Amino acid sequence: MTNPQSELERLQAEAAQRAMIDRELVARFAPEDAELRGANDRAKAAGMPEIQISPLQGKLLQVLAAACGARKILEIGALAGYSGAWLARALPADGKLITLEVSEKHAEVARATFAAAGVADRVEVRVGPALETLPPLTSEAPFDLIFIDADKGNYPAYLDWAVKLSRPGTIIVADNVIRGGRAFQTPPPDENAAGAAAYNEKLLANPRLISVAFPMDDDGTDGFAISVVR
Ligand code: DHB
Ligand code: MG
């Protein structure tokens, strides 16, 4: 029989090791400057939920933007502008990030973040429900990279729009497709998990997309799905 005390110590040691590895990776590969840290402080001060992506996820978005030579990026869900700042910094000077945000209050915080991060000239925040702000983007498509991080229930609809607004080679990234494993339960136990599950199912059924997902948030229980349009 396992000794509960030594089992607890083993789990604590594993958690400490994971935290150390994450800290060291962030320090080396994805250090935040004061402006990025400021985005999170601004979100907190505005009483917004602290659900932004991790620094390593921000850096991965930049690597993906470089991989597809992104000049035009679309984000669905700006929140406080943290992920948008990472994305916009990966753009060339004449590049453009359009980020969609349902809340005027959140959009104001995001604009302040973009100004502080020195990318306001490259970013446009459009306010309204994304299902209303997406259709007019048809005339501005295709986008090179599309990042989905908004209300999970609409993720399947957002995927349809992302594909519509894409070109072969466009990279589509979605946050929160794992939900601590709840996206893999049948039936998914909550609305967010159900949205994530439907999103995963839909992208895996689309022969135009080659996709992968993996845990990559601060505690390894949620993460990105990454798809490339063929
Ligand atoms: C939630 C939303 C997110 O985009 C996220 O990264 C984490 C949590 C949420 O709505 O609970
Ligand atoms: Mg998210």
Side-chain angles (χ1 to χ4, degrees), residues 155-226:
Y155 265 35
Y158 296 154
L159 180 61
D160 286 337
W161 274 107
V163 171
K164 253 182 246 175
L165 299 172
S166 73
R167 57 160 171 86
T170 290
I171 299 177
I172 301 172
V173 183
D175 190 28
N176 309 112
V177 301
I178 298 172
R179 308 297 303 170
R182 292 184 297 283
F184 310 131
Q185 291 177 25
T186 315
D190 60 74
E191 225 174 287
N192 287 347
Y199 182 88
N200 293 334
E201 197 175 315
K202 194 169 183 116
L203 71 91
L204 291 170
N206 187 332
R208 284 192 62 209
L209 301 176
I210 176 166
S211 305
V212 70
F214 47 89
M216 204 196 170
D217 64 349
D218 285 324
D219 63 3
T221 60
D222 212 341
F224 283 171
I226 302 174

Side-chain angles (χ1 to χ4, degrees), residues 65-219:
C68 65
R71 309 182 69 82
K72 275 199 288 183
I73 300 177
L74 172 63
E75 179 181 60
I76 306 176
L79 199 64
Y82 181 81
S83 49
W86 280 99
L87 283 167
R89 283 177 167 182
L91 285 167
D94 63 345
K96 177 141 190 201
L97 166 69
I98 296 177
T99 182
L100 310 181
E101 175 52 51
V102 69
S103 152
E104 178 57 58
K105 181 184 137 199
H106 293 180
E108 278 310 311
V109 177
R111 287 189 190 105
T113 295
F114 298 135
V119 292
D121 58 328
R122 270 166 269 178
V123 186
E124 195 185 323
V125 186
R126 297 195 184 171
V127 181
L131 291 178
E132 291 172 20
T133 50
L134 281 163
L137 288 174
T138 310
S139 61
E140 292 164 85
F143 292 87
D144 306 305
L145 188 151
I146 300 172
F147 178 50
I148 303 170
D149 190 10
D151 50 316
K152 314 306 167 202
N154 280 321
Y155 265 35
Y158 296 154
L159 180 61
D160 286 337
W161 274 107
V163 171
K164 253 182 246 175
L165 299 172
S166 73
R167 57 160 171 86
T170 290
I171 299 177
I172 301 172
V173 183
D175 190 28
N176 309 112
V177 301
I178 298 172
R179 308 297 303 170
R182 292 184 297 283
F184 310 131
Q185 291 177 25
T186 315
D190 60 74
E191 225 174 287
N192 287 347
Y199 182 88
N200 293 334
E201 197 175 315
K202 194 169 183 116
L203 71 91
L204 291 170
N206 187 332
R208 284 192 62 209
L209 301 176
I210 176 166
S211 305
V212 70
F214 47 89
M216 204 196 170
D217 64 349
D218 285 324
D219 63 3

Side-chain angles (χ1 to χ4, degrees), residues 41 43-44 47 61 173 181 213 223:
D41 296 343
K44 215 183 291 183
L61 290 176
V173 183

